[in-house]
Amino acid sequence: MADAKKTAKLTFDGKEFELPILSPTCGPDVIDIRKLYSQADVFTYDPGFTSTASCDSTITFIDGDKGELLHRGYPIDQLAGKSHFLEVCYLLLYGELPSADQLEDFEARVTNHTMIHDQMQFLFRGFRRDAHPMAIMVGVVGAMSAFYHDSTDITDPWQREVATIRLIAKMPTIAAMAYKYTIGQPFVYPRNDLDYAANFLRMCFAVPAEDYEVNPILSRAMDRIFTLHADHEQNASTSTVRLASSSGANPFACIAAGIACLWGPAHGGANQACLEMLEEIGSVDRIPEFIARAKDKDDDYRLMGFGHRVYKNFDPRATVMKQSADEVLDLLGVENNPKLQVAKELERQALEDPYFAEKKLFPNVDFYSGIILEAMGFPTSMFTPIFALARTVGWISQWKEMIADPQNKIGRPRQLYVGEGPRDYVDVEDR
Ligand code: ACO
């Protein structure tokens, strides 16, 4: 935690209070209000945490005005262009880029944990076949705490490390099994001779009846999608993981909570919602109609994949994703994909519209990811599970950081109570 060198003054009820100001490495100063209630008997009010830092962290930094995203100081475009997902996992988890030996060791550890306990297949089989894969993932990942008892003691650093590797390694297997189950195909076991992304694609698309060869272009694109989603500081699902973990809950339960939060259309569910929107728009001539709806104050319709709580200039992940969409569709020979055309034209028209400019609404990471995933052969219901798979490393990195932090205490927000004051119970016959 940065030392307080400056202070802010608050005058309240005729008294003056001095509040320490903490200066971060990057980003705006933070007023430390931890002692405010005990000293001034007053709370602060910030629904949606628009002005509140909930923790200090060394993992990820976002400058929303500049459109900058750094993991441990490294810009996301450099990581997406030069690195690969497992190296980024190492960076997020341990703070530095690995040496060649460290990377080899880390990759071997992840690769050797990709299988799940065989009994877990019966959990999948308990779901309806038409279950959303996210519903299956919330359940199965939560249930990992019933299978891996030797990595649920959060006070033991070794167990925390084992849980970390298990979660990163098994998440692709679980996501692929959720997919296979919902389409009625047999589960495909992981293969340790394939890299992380290629193994995932194979587990999703191979069938026992014939050989399946992973297209290296697609596995590279898959890996880049994982990298772009790996972490995003204190977003809703990460904050959910931290809050769940603050009570001392085991890592599998906490990650299941993160998956549940990610599912919503205002968060990770936006990639599915965005592709459905592009489908609904259908052709470029209908774009003005949808833009008009998004601008209409009396219509709660929003352009999915547009806007972000933090980015107010552009989302650097969306820039890489757009390039990737062009490359992948080109290489697959589907450069005339109608959804890509609608997406590009929608982006162009929205960015020229004063409504979107004034409100600083730009395409976010979800705007183009669905187009790539669809071109790869994934149904829309798999988009958010893939996001969850990739974000798992971010959730775990933040979870590990929090557990190791001596300041860690249970998260417990206060409230502005506006309900009834005390009143006497009325017997039912007198109401
Ligand atoms: N389309 C049209 N108008 C929008 C949009 C949009 N996509 N997003 C925000 N606005 C408008 C709001 O109506 C509001 O207008 P007002 O000031 O006249 O009331 C203003 O912009 C600010 O919007 P808020 O909802 O207050 O902004 P907030 O920071 O709370 O929400 C969010 C950010 C949830 C991402 C929002 O922009 C949204 O719903 N976008 C669509 C869903 C989406 O793409 N989510 C993915 C986010 S990225 C991720 O999780 C990976």
Side-chain angles (χ1 to χ4, degrees):
M1 161 93 55
D3 285 340
K5 295 201 177 70
K6 299 187 272 182
T7 56
K9 285 196 171 50
L10 171 79
T11 307
F12 173 68
D13 256 358
K15 289 192 213 121
E16 199 164 87
F17 302 93
E18 208 160 350
L19 302 167
I21 294 201
L22 307 172
S23 294
T25 331
C26 308
D29 284 345
V30 172
I31 302 175
D32 181 353
I33 56 163
R34 279 175 294 175
K35 297 216 169 96
L36 187 64
Y37 176 52
S38 62
Q39 289 174 351
D41 199 22
V42 65
F43 295 145
T44 56
Y45 181 62
D46 186 17
F49 302 103
T50 52
S51 300
T52 299
S54 59
C55 61
D56 50 280
S57 180
T58 60
I59 301 171
T60 292
F61 173 72
I62 303 172
D63 185 327
D65 292 323
K66 281 200 218 151
E68 184 176 65
L69 167 61
L70 310 176
H71 292 320
R72 305 284 190 185
Y74 296 102
I76 189 65
D77 53 323
Q78 291 185 24
L79 294 173
K82 298 182 181 177
S83 183
H84 59 91
F85 182 65
L86 282 187
E87 186 176 67
V88 172
C89 287
Y90 187 100
L91 175 69
L92 289 168
L93 288 166
Y94 308 113
E96 295 296 338
L97 288 169
S99 67
D101 286 348
Q102 286 168 329
L103 183 59
E104 193 182 334
D105 172 64
F106 179 70
E107 288 182 340
R109 281 192 292 144
V110 170
T111 305
N112 285 312
H113 279 86
T114 49
M115 282 178 66
I116 60 169
H117 191 295
D118 201 47
Q119 185 72 11
M120 286 181 81
Q121 60 163 299
F122 298 107
L123 281 176
F124 287 88
R125 297 188 199 283
F127 283 91
R128 282 171 55 139
R129 289 277 179 184
D130 61 357
H132 195 289
M134 280 299 273
I136 300 179
M137 287 191 73
V138 173
V140 172
V141 173
M144 285 175 79
S145 44
F147 286 87
Y148 301 105
H149 300 142
D150 57 346
S151 53
T152 53
D153 178 358
I154 62 164
T155 62
D156 179 348
W158 185 82
Q159 292 204 27
R160 297 205 295 266
E161 182 62 19
V162 175
T164 297
I165 299 295
R166 278 184 171 148
L167 276 158
I168 293 169
K170 296 183 197 311
M171 205 58 86
T173 313
I174 292 170
M177 286 175 79
Y179 173 52
K180 285 296 200 190
Y181 183 74
T182 57
I183 57 168
Q185 288 186 2
F187 300 133
V188 175
Y189 285 107
R191 279 256 307 265
N192 289 359
D193 57 332
L194 295 175
D195 67 35
Y196 193 84
N199 179 46
F200 175 62
L201 288 174
R202 188 179 168 280
M203 286 191 292
C204 287
F205 297 124
V207 287
E210 56 190 46
D211 287 340
Y212 176 82
E213 216 166 291
V214 184
N215 180 334
I217 295 157
L218 296 191
S219 68
R220 175 69 195 131
M222 189 78 257
D223 189 88
R224 193 177 288 160
I225 288 178
F226 292 160
T227 300
L228 291 173
H229 286 88
D231 189 46
H232 214 229
E233 54 116 306
Q234 310 311 322
N235 57 80
S237 56
T238 302
S239 297
T240 301
V241 170
R242 280 189 179 254
L243 198 56
S245 155
S246 76
S247 72
N250 77 67
F252 306 111
C254 296
I255 300 302
I259 296 172
C261 177
L262 187 79
W263 194 359
H267 193 11
N271 51 16
Q272 172 168 353
C274 179
L275 202 92
E276 286 163 0
M277 174 192 75
L278 296 174
E279 240 157 36
E280 195 190 351
I281 297 176
S283 63
V284 289
D285 51 297
R286 293 192 66 207
I287 290 171
E289 180 194 325
F290 284 81
I291 289 189
R293 279 188 67 193
K295 287 160 59 178
D296 184 353
K297 278 237 161 285
D298 299 325
D299 189 338
D300 58 9
Y301 181 79
R302 290 185 170 201
L303 289 188
M304 285 293 130
F306 255 80
H308 197 274
R309 170 62 61 78
V310 184
Y311 294 119
K312 299 299 171 197
N313 188 334
F314 65 95
D315 179 342
R317 303 167 301 170
T319 313
V320 182
M321 202 66 91
K322 186 178 179 182
Q323 279 166 9
S324 209
D326 275 331
E327 281 165 26
V328 171
L329 268 60
D330 194 25
L331 287 160
L332 290 175
V334 282
E335 66 271 30
N336 292 327
N337 178 300
K339 287 191 200 91
L340 184 64
Q341 284 170 354
V342 171
K344 283 185 172 172
E345 184 55 19
L346 177 62
E347 178 184 8
R348 194 191 66 72
Q349 290 188 25
L351 294 184
E352 280 180 1
D353 192 303
Y355 172 93
F356 293 89
E358 276 157 25
K359 294 189 187 303
K360 301 186 172 171
L361 299 170
F362 297 86
N364 58 49
V365 68
D366 293 323
F367 194 67
Y368 285 103
S369 61
I371 294 171
I372 310 180
L373 292 173
E374 192 193 49
M376 285 175 168
F378 287 105
T380 50
S381 60
M382 275 304 286
F383 295 0
T384 318
I386 288 170
F387 190 161
L389 180 178
R391 181 56 55 85
T392 295
V393 66
W395 291 329
I396 303 174
S397 305
Q398 304 267 351
W399 166 78
K400 282 180 84 176
E401 180 178 69
M402 178 178 165
I403 306 258
D405 184 349
Q407 298 190 91
N408 178 22
K409 51 164 72 181
I410 188 163
R412 181 33 171 115
R414 305 309 296 257
Q415 64 174 4
L416 171 67
Y417 177 70
V418 292
E420 298 287 348
R423 50 181 173 166
D424 287 325
Y425 178 78
V426 180
D427 290 327
V428 69
E429 58 274 16
D430 298 329
R431 284 174 218 158

